[in-house]
Amino acid sequence: MKFDLDAIYIENACRDTSLAQRVLARGDTRTAIHFIADGRAASLPLGDAADSFAAGKRRMVIMRRRSPFLMGCPAGSAKFACCGYLVLTLASNCPMDCSYCFLQEYVADNPGFQIYANYDDAFAEIDKLIAAAPDRHFRIGTGELADSLAMDSITGLSIDLIKFFAARETLTLELKTKTDEIENLLELDPHGRVLVSWTLSPRRLYESSEYRTASPSQRIDAARRVLEAGYRVAFHLDPIVAYPEAEPDYIDLMDELFSSIDPARISFISMGGLRMTPALRAAARRRFPTDAMLLGEDVLSADGRYRTFTLMRLRLYRILSEKFKKTGAEIPAYLCMENSSVHHRVFGAPAPHPAETSERLAIR
Amino acid sequence: MSLYVVDDAIRALAARRHLPNSHLAKWLAMDTGSRAALIEMVEPLKMRTGQIVVAIDLLDEIAIRERATVAAILSRADIRRSCVLDASGPAQAAAFLDALRAIRFPRLKLAIERLSAEVAALRLPAGLRVVLPKNLGSDELMIQLNARTPLEMRNLLDTLAAKKSELVRLAKLIGDDEA
């Protein structure tokens, strides 16, 4: 997949980094290149852009990250039964454009498509974590504030990441994507320590709401190919959108997935209903005013987010959970941003502690 | 009404009611028939500003969900019925908004009706109330007990204990429509 950029901004201090050199060598020669003192200025919203968030997606900024790379998942909260996922922020924003994406609110004040050139510092942070907890396994992902692989043909970040993680036995790297950008991965041996995960949506949702992404079938096919190349694979049904035809569509999607990939070889499947803060909902509706997927039977829930009303949301979780069970493969499944009572109702058991879930998902 | 007369009438009403500019813009962005149909509906109902805002938002969302014009939505029998109820203006306006909400949230409406019927079937005495979560936005069931005397308290607690299995069933139903 190739994504067009309007311009690439490179911070002067990053000019000689391997990342900047790769981007300069592999990027489209028609894209304007600017060298600047501070990448943060180039990441701010453009005053004259009708849609500054969309404009930010087309403005790549190679810069230093000034804050820690490693953090707990921003979706995590004591209110929810979480999965203990750790996030490694190597980039911010994404060249694809999903109408429901939380980045529309999360990076609204900072929409430039930042990629951090000093990612060696991230490796130092991870080594410090391992040293502090040598007996624990950690699942660390790069796909929270950006797609892990969208620009990989230009940045080549996955190569350094996979080499780093493949050499550390208590780590699992999760590369989360909606692309089929896997060519770099196929050249490497992950030693079983790299998991590639795809967000999957029914075709109807993909066509209405997931612009510039790979189709669901392309994502499943890419998953099959990386699985054959020695990677672990997982899937995120997130967001699950409860549109009128959702039940048969999600079942069809699972049928397609399980007919292409042996369920026993799926590391896990996560589920999460569409949830939007009022500010995100307003931003999404402003940017995608005719997308009916943003207008489900959503009500304000206790955590201040709009969600499909509980009964209907749980029904979808339950139907999918039953579908996983019917494979006989005992696919690990968890819910994202749901509280423990919802977890109990869907899976029939109390939610484990996040650290326990994290360990289980990292090891399988 | 001609296009200009309709738009003038909408602008005049918006000015009188201090309708937010965003909602005036939404109204004026509708097709001609929808603009006219809405003002013909709103004026006789004497809707308050907040009610007009809610109506415009609901109509906008229904139009997108159902790929229909606002005029087509307003011509539906259930909407028309809500506006000819033999009731006061405010009650008619409230009925109109309820009818719109029923179209916008069809499955939620059915779920609330079903659960409300279950609650009613409990036949709880005065002083004991089962409160469903607002708009079924959570799976939390609240039981409210109001007693003024020790005897009232004892009686209500006895009733509550006697209803244990039905209440447990209700707690299941709130998260599982097939329970």
Side-chain angles (χ1 to χ4, degrees):
Chain A
M1 298 176 74
K2 295 286 174 276
F3 301 101
D4 292 333
L5 297 170
D6 291 336
I8 297 173
Y9 291 82
I10 299 176
E11 222 169 51
N12 287 330
C14 302
R15 199 176 186 137
D16 296 325
T17 60
S18 54
L19 175 66
Q21 292 304 311
R22 286 195 299 265
V23 168
L24 288 172
R26 299 173 190 170
D28 189 331
T29 52
R30 293 167 298 180
T31 307
I33 309 285
H34 306 278
F35 293 95
I36 52 171
D38 189 336
R40 288 173 294 188
S43 304
L44 297 173
L46 294 179
D48 57 350
D51 181 349
S52 61
F53 178 71
K57 289 173 175 291
R58 299 172 61 88
R59 206 168 66 246
M60 182 185 281
V61 185
I62 309 286
M63 60 186 281
R64 279 176 302 128
R65 183 166 173 84
R66 274 98 171 158
S67 44
F69 284 85
L70 196 60
M71 59 181 185
C73 173
S77 158
K79 285 184 267 186
F80 303 133
C82 285
C83 68
Y85 181 52
L86 293 177
V87 171
L88 194 66
T89 305
L90 300 182
S92 171
N93 212 338
C94 167
M96 293 168 278
D97 205 0
C98 298
S99 64
Y100 51 72
C101 180
F102 83 107
L103 293 177
Q104 292 171 104
E105 179 190 13
Y106 202 82
V107 301
D109 296 330
N110 205 22
F113 180 16
Q114 304 174 1
I115 305 185
Y116 305 116
N118 57 328
Y119 59 89
D120 277 351
D121 296 347
F123 296 153
E125 286 178 32
I126 296 169
D127 276 336
K128 208 169 151 186
L129 175 74
I130 301 172
D135 300 328
R136 284 191 57 188
H137 288 82
F138 296 100
R139 178 169 65 109
I140 301 175
T142 60
E144 194 65 18
L145 300 189
D147 186 281
S148 297
L149 298 174
M151 301 300 279
D152 205 49
S153 65
I154 297 173
T155 66
L157 278 178
S158 69
I159 298 168
D160 289 341
L161 276 170
I162 291 168
K163 285 179 181 166
F164 177 85
F165 278 80
R168 285 158 179 79
E169 62 180 315
T170 57
L171 296 183
T172 295
L173 168 66
E174 179 172 348
L175 298 169
K176 193 191 288 185
T177 187
K178 280 183 185 155
T179 72
D180 56 359
E181 188 71 55
I182 55 169
E183 298 312 316
N184 284 336
L185 275 54
L186 301 179
E187 304 294 321
L188 298 164
D189 179 358
H191 294 291
R193 291 175 192 138
V194 180
L195 187 155
V196 193
S197 65
W198 275 266
T199 301
L200 283 185
S201 304
R203 187 150 198 106
R204 209 185 302 259
L205 178 56
Y206 153 72
E207 287 173 349
S208 72
S209 310
E210 298 180 349
Y211 299 92
R212 298 194 287 278
T213 64
S215 72
S217 300
Q218 287 170 323
R219 295 178 215 176
I220 291 171
D221 189 54
R224 187 186 51 73
R225 291 173 65 204
V226 298
L227 188 61
E228 286 168 4
Y231 291 83
R232 295 158 59 195
V233 296
F235 299 93
H236 300 279
L237 300 175
D238 193 350
I240 292 174
V241 180
Y243 56 92
E245 304 84 0
E247 287 183 22
D249 283 3
Y250 277 95
I251 292 297
D252 287 350
L253 178 69
M254 290 302 95
D255 284 337
E256 182 181 353
L257 174 65
F258 298 143
S259 67
S260 298
I261 296 191
D262 178 359
R265 299 189 68 193
I266 294 175
S267 287
F268 60 82
I269 299 179
S270 79
M271 297 185 282
L274 177 65
R275 60 266 181 204
M276 291 187 282
T277 61
L280 171 59
R281 191 172 188 271
R285 291 235 43 224
R286 194 167 51 245
R287 297 191 63 238
F288 301 95
T290 60
D291 187 354
M293 294 294 179
L294 299 172
L295 297 172
E297 297 198 42
D298 299 342
V299 298
L300 209 51
S301 60
D303 68 350
R305 293 177 174 86
Y306 284 96
R307 297 168 183 265
T308 305
F309 69 92
T310 308
L311 201 54
M312 192 167 163
R313 195 167 82 247
L314 266 61
R315 180 181 165 85
L316 273 167
Y317 289 152
R318 203 173 288 110
I319 286 170
L320 285 164
S321 177
E322 286 302 315
K323 186 75 183 169
F324 307 158
K325 273 188 203 152
K326 277 185 192 158
T327 65
E330 296 185 11
I331 305 167
Y334 68 90
L335 299 173
C336 186
M337 293 181 81
E338 291 286 5
N339 63 32
S340 54
S341 73
V342 170
H343 186 284
H344 200 151
R345 284 178 187 274
V346 173
F347 298 119
H353 189 277
E356 190 186 323
T357 307
S358 166
E359 192 88 2
R360 185 166 56 100
L361 299 176
I363 290 169
R364 175 162 160 131
Chain B
M1 280 197 280
S2 79
L3 177 62
Y4 298 112
V5 173
V6 168
D7 286 358
D8 284 350
I10 293 169
R11 286 198 177 89
L13 182 137
R16 276 199 315 277
R17 301 293 177 80
H18 305 287
L19 193 67
N21 285 336
S22 56
H23 287 75
L24 172 61
K26 264 189 193 178
W27 195 344
L28 292 173
M30 293 175 191
D31 63 276
T32 312
S34 296
R35 295 208 294 271
L38 184 55
I39 193 142
E40 282 166 17
M41 185 71 77
V42 163
E43 288 211 300
L45 290 178
K46 297 189 170 47
M47 294 172 75
R48 296 191 303 271
T49 307
Q51 290 175 315
I52 300 172
V53 164
V54 171
I56 290 173
D57 283 341
L58 286 168
L59 285 164
D60 174 46
E61 295 182 0
I62 295 167
I64 293 165
R65 276 170 62 89
E66 304 196 359
R67 293 189 178 88
T69 64
V70 167
I73 299 161
L74 292 175
S75 68
R76 290 185 193 180
D78 40 356
I79 296 290
R80 289 277 159 202
R81 259 199 314 275
S82 74
C83 298
V84 293
L85 291 173
D86 187 15
S88 64
Q92 278 192 345
F96 170 58
L97 292 182
D98 282 346
L100 288 179
R101 282 194 196 95
I103 297 174
R104 171 65 181 83
F105 297 96
R107 284 184 277 191
L108 175 60
K109 179 177 179 279
L110 290 176
I112 290 174
E113 281 174 358
R114 183 179 171 216
L115 287 167
S116 299
E118 293 280 346
V119 172
L122 291 171
R123 296 183 181 280
L124 296 174
L128 202 51
R129 204 157 75 95
V130 171
V131 183
L132 297 173
K134 188 179 178 191
N135 291 326
L136 305 185
S138 84
D139 60 350
E140 188 176 87
L141 206 57
M142 187 165 74
I143 294 172
Q144 195 178 313
L145 194 150
N146 295 73
R148 285 197 175 84
T149 65
L151 180 61
E152 272 182 26
M153 178 63 83
R154 187 190 309 273
N155 288 342
L156 291 176
L157 287 171
D158 285 347
T159 307
L160 201 56
K163 298 283 182 185
K164 182 179 169 184
S165 59
E166 291 101 314
L167 289 167
V168 169
R169 181 170 171 272
L170 194 59
K172 269 187 195 160
L173 276 176
I174 207 161
D176 183 354
D177 54 3
E178 288 172 359

